[in-house]
Amino acid sequence: MAFDVVASSYREREKRRSPLRLTVMTGIGAGGIALYFAVVGILQMFDERWIIAEMLTLGHTVLILIAFSAGLYVTHKTTARGTAAVVVQGLGTGAVAGAVLSLLVVVMSLVQLRFMFIALKTPLLKMLTLGQGVPLGVAILIGGGALLGLLGALLYITPRPVRRPLAFGLGAAGFVGLFQELLQLMLQYEGVVTGFREIFFTWDGLRLQGAIAIIIVVGAATAAWMRKGAAVEARFRRLPPVQQNGVRTLAIGLGLLVLLLFPLVAGNFIGQVMMLVGLYVLMGMGLNLELGLAGLLDLGFVAFFAVGAYTTALLTADSPHALASLSYWQALPIAVLLSIFVGVLFGVPVLKVRGDYLAVATLGLGEIVRVLVISDMAAPLLAGAQGVLNIPRPTIADVELDDPVDLFYLTLACAAVAAYVAWRLENSRLGRAWTAIRDDEDVAQALGINLVNVKLLAYGLGAAFAGVAGSIFGVMLGSIFPHSFQLLISINVLALIIVGGMGSLPGVVVGAAALIGLPELLREFGEYRFLFYGLTIVLMMRVKAEGLWPSAATKRELHREAEMRAAQRAELAEGGAGNPDGGGERP
């Protein structure tokens, strides 16, 4: 109760914060973000990439978004009302953000800072001032920031039928401009497609007329859906349950058809990215059984992935270290069974360990496996640092799956089977037992659940999914090495199920696409893509901690917690009203 009193008083102080202070602090924060991007070199790198050819670079787009978002934020947080107040705060926030960045421009023009920050050099200064010199550049930064902050503030108070189509249209144009190289590679066909590409794109970026056309088309489609969407949804709800299921099945079928045909159109690079996403989906489903359902945090999960890859390699490779000359389809079930065995072995030493201690223990077990694989003792069997080479690709009816698109279809088939198994397990008696021990082990044991069996099954079945992913990974590379199985893989799998939604199978897919697919598509930005990877995770935990696609149980739990907090605040408010000291009566 004491914590609730402190939190309530803090919220009241936040409400009483003056609009001027909110404006200044928001502007300083936005300017600080832009300043950081400039100092670490992000803006300079992004300035080499066109969004709209010869007009707008990605670096300037980032600066525009920062000032624009500051105007949106300050309008969302302000307690002031009226268009005049919104205009003033939007202008002020953007101007302050521009002023913070202009300080960097002034300092760079007076002092040589490259000995400290290598990114602070002449090209960056020209980029920030638009090549107009320091005095005029400072005026452009402050005035442009004020204008963009104003536009963000006005967009926030714009009626929804106008705001949403405009936002979706601009977002679509930005997305196409960002991924224009990939889109052009998909449009390498003669005829109408070639003409379409030439109208919308140059080899440097999106054409201005293409951007305008995308904004109009997407905005009109969004507006049409906003007008008709509610009626369509109401009509759907009036259908009999059998017809509703038929419509859902048709929609799922069309989605699967698009998913099946898309890699054929997109090409090998997109096919390889989608295959990598599929491998992480497989591993995510496995860890989701352990963590999402059973509550067993496993940071050594990459070990099961390595077991699947090494087993397949040693049983199929044309290498001195090969143990047999089996086909891939003969080696796959052996890899899965051995992964299950190792998963159970992992579970035995940590049966009595819970919480953070379990994470540290499984991390240690995973490192033990990595050290054993690379050690001289296991080198005669596992080839040590030299790795296992010449792993053959799978064949079906004498057709070799040697193309990334072919291997994507193999990954998709395995992921579909794994999803069905995980779905049946989640709704089975075993799945309910996992949920029980996740919520409270002592109560679950008192209800008659055998904790040893249930936990070992979670470790073993989760490892089976990772073993399948490792097996496909081995044949994808054609050779495997110990450094391919780092701790970062376990962390990525853990992050994607948290971002997607703990305990949610669709959330695993969405999380893998967001955290694995997007960084792969943005490889041109080098290591900076991991900076945005980290920022995305932080923002997700702040804004939508339940995940992008949470399970129904998670939604219910969060809804119940929100209701309890609301009831506590109401009780606290009533107690404060009845007591002049604000403390209420003690129970």
Side-chain angles (χ1 to χ4, degrees):
M1 183 61 71
F3 175 78
D4 290 337
V5 172
V6 173
S8 178
S9 63
Y10 174 77
R11 284 190 293 270
E12 289 299 324
R13 287 197 303 272
E14 287 291 305
K15 291 179 181 179
R16 291 194 300 267
R17 177 179 289 179
S18 68
L20 176 60
R21 183 181 178 188
L22 178 63
T23 300
V24 173
M25 295 304 295
T26 304
I28 291 175
I33 294 172
L35 191 65
Y36 174 76
F37 283 178
V39 169
V40 300
I42 293 177
L43 289 182
Q44 184 179 346
M45 172 181 280
F46 284 5
D47 192 50
E48 300 172 359
R49 178 74 155 75
W50 291 105
I51 295 295
I52 298 178
E54 305 301 330
M55 289 191 62
L56 182 65
T57 67
L58 181 58
H60 289 119
T61 303
V62 170
L63 293 178
I64 290 171
L65 286 175
I66 290 173
F68 190 84
S69 301
L72 278 172
Y73 177 81
V74 76
T75 309
H76 171 69
K77 287 293 185 179
T78 186
T79 56
R81 293 292 179 265
T83 305
V86 169
V87 168
V88 171
Q89 286 198 281
L91 286 170
T93 302
V96 171
V100 171
L101 195 56
S102 67
L103 290 176
L104 175 64
V105 170
V106 173
V107 172
M108 287 179 63
S109 66
L110 299 176
V111 183
Q112 180 59 259
L113 297 176
R114 287 195 61 188
F115 70 95
M116 294 178 59
F117 304 103
I118 194 171
L120 300 182
K121 47 190 178 183
T122 304
L124 176 63
L125 186 62
K126 290 182 178 179
M127 177 253 180
L128 293 176
T129 60
L130 300 180
Q132 302 299 317
V134 174
L136 185 57
V138 168
I140 291 173
L141 283 175
I142 297 176
L147 177 60
L148 291 168
L150 173 62
L151 292 176
L154 292 178
L155 181 66
Y156 186 85
I157 63 174
T158 301
R160 189 181 181 192
V162 177
R163 181 176 69 245
R164 294 196 68 180
L166 182 60
F168 275 90
L170 292 172
F175 178 85
V176 173
L178 180 61
F179 293 105
Q180 58 89 16
E181 291 184 357
L182 293 176
L183 294 173
Q184 291 196 64
L185 289 175
M186 297 179 197
L187 299 175
Q188 295 298 310
Y189 298 97
E190 297 296 331
V192 178
V193 174
T194 301
F196 176 83
R197 189 183 70 243
E198 292 178 353
I199 292 173
F200 277 79
F201 299 100
T202 69
W203 283 112
D204 292 329
L206 185 65
R207 294 182 188 271
L208 178 60
Q209 62 264 31
I212 295 173
I214 291 170
I215 293 172
I216 293 173
V217 171
V218 175
T222 304
W225 173 253
M226 291 180 66
R227 287 195 303 269
K228 303 292 185 180
V232 171
E233 184 177 356
R235 192 178 305 128
F236 173 77
R237 294 183 181 279
R238 288 196 296 268
L239 293 176
V242 176
Q243 293 185 11
Q244 289 186 13
N245 292 333
V247 172
R248 291 192 185 99
T249 303
L250 178 61
I252 293 172
L254 291 175
L256 291 176
L257 181 62
V258 171
L259 183 63
L260 289 173
L261 296 179
F262 182 67
L264 295 175
V265 177
N268 287 341
F269 175 71
I270 297 296
Q272 186 167 350
V273 171
M274 294 180 70
M275 182 185 64
L276 188 62
V277 171
L279 294 179
Y280 273 91
V281 167
L282 274 169
M283 289 190 286
M285 289 178 182
L287 187 59
N288 193 52
L289 294 181
E290 296 184 20
L291 178 59
L293 296 184
L296 304 173
L297 181 56
D298 187 354
L299 290 182
F301 197 72
V302 66
F304 313 139
F305 183 63
V307 168
Y310 267 95
T311 302
T312 302
L314 294 174
L315 294 178
T316 63
D318 182 13
S319 169
H321 297 88
L323 302 178
S325 298
L326 303 180
S327 69
Y328 174 77
W329 306 109
Q330 293 171 326
L332 178 60
I334 299 175
V336 173
L337 290 174
L338 192 57
S339 298
I340 293 174
F341 176 71
V342 174
V344 173
L345 284 182
F346 257 54
V348 171
V350 296
L351 282 173
K352 298 294 184 180
V353 184
R354 302 183 187 180
D356 299 336
Y357 306 101
L358 177 61
V360 175
T362 53
L363 173 63
L365 290 172
E367 285 298 295
I368 288 172
V369 172
R370 186 185 66 82
V371 171
L372 286 177
V373 169
I374 205 172
S375 66
D376 294 335
M377 179 187 68
L381 176 63
L382 302 178
Q386 297 180 356
V388 182
L389 310 178
N390 301 321
I391 304 173
R393 299 292 175 87
T395 58
I396 299 177
D398 297 330
V399 177
E400 187 178 46
L401 305 180
D402 59 349
D403 190 87
V405 176
D406 297 335
L407 291 175
F408 162 72
Y409 289 125
L410 172 62
T411 307
L412 182 63
C414 293
V417 173
Y420 176 75
V421 172
W423 173 65
R424 293 303 301 267
L425 285 171
E426 182 180 351
N427 295 283
S428 66
R429 182 177 180 181
L430 178 60
R432 292 191 292 272
W434 283 335
T435 304
I437 67 171
R438 179 194 66 189
D439 293 338
D440 195 313
E441 284 191 18
D442 296 329
V443 173
Q445 189 173 23
L447 292 173
I449 295 175
N450 189 320
L451 297 184
V452 174
N453 291 345
V454 169
K455 285 186 177 182
L456 292 182
L457 281 171
Y459 282 116
L461 293 173
F465 288 45
V468 175
S471 179
I472 300 174
F473 180 75
V475 299
M476 176 192 76
L477 294 182
S479 56
I480 57 172
F481 303 92
H483 68 263
S484 299
F485 308 98
Q486 300 292 331
L487 174 64
L488 183 61
I489 294 178
S490 295
I491 295 174
N492 282 337
V493 178
L494 175 62
L496 72 88
I497 67 171
I498 292 175
V499 169
M502 194 83 71
S504 169
L505 288 177
V508 171
V509 179
V510 174
L515 295 186
I516 306 301
L518 282 180
E520 288 298 316
L521 294 176
L522 297 174
R523 271 191 176 274
E524 61 179 303
F525 300 121
E527 296 300 322
Y528 287 117
R529 70 188 194 276
F530 291 112
L531 172 64
F532 295 100
Y533 175 97
L535 288 174
T536 301
I537 294 177
V538 172
L539 288 175
M540 276 297 305
M541 295 303 98
R542 289 285 300 171
V543 177
K544 196 173 175 62
E546 69 273 18
L548 294 172
W549 197 322
S551 63
T554 303
K555 287 182 180 179
R556 286 196 301 269
E557 290 174 3
L558 292 174
H559 184 66
R560 185 164 56 247
E561 291 176 2
E563 289 181 345
M564 292 175 62
R565 287 195 296 268
Q568 290 175 354
R569 287 195 296 268
E571 180 183 353
L572 182 63
E574 291 177 2
N579 188 344
D581 296 332
E585 295 182 0
R586 293 184 179 273

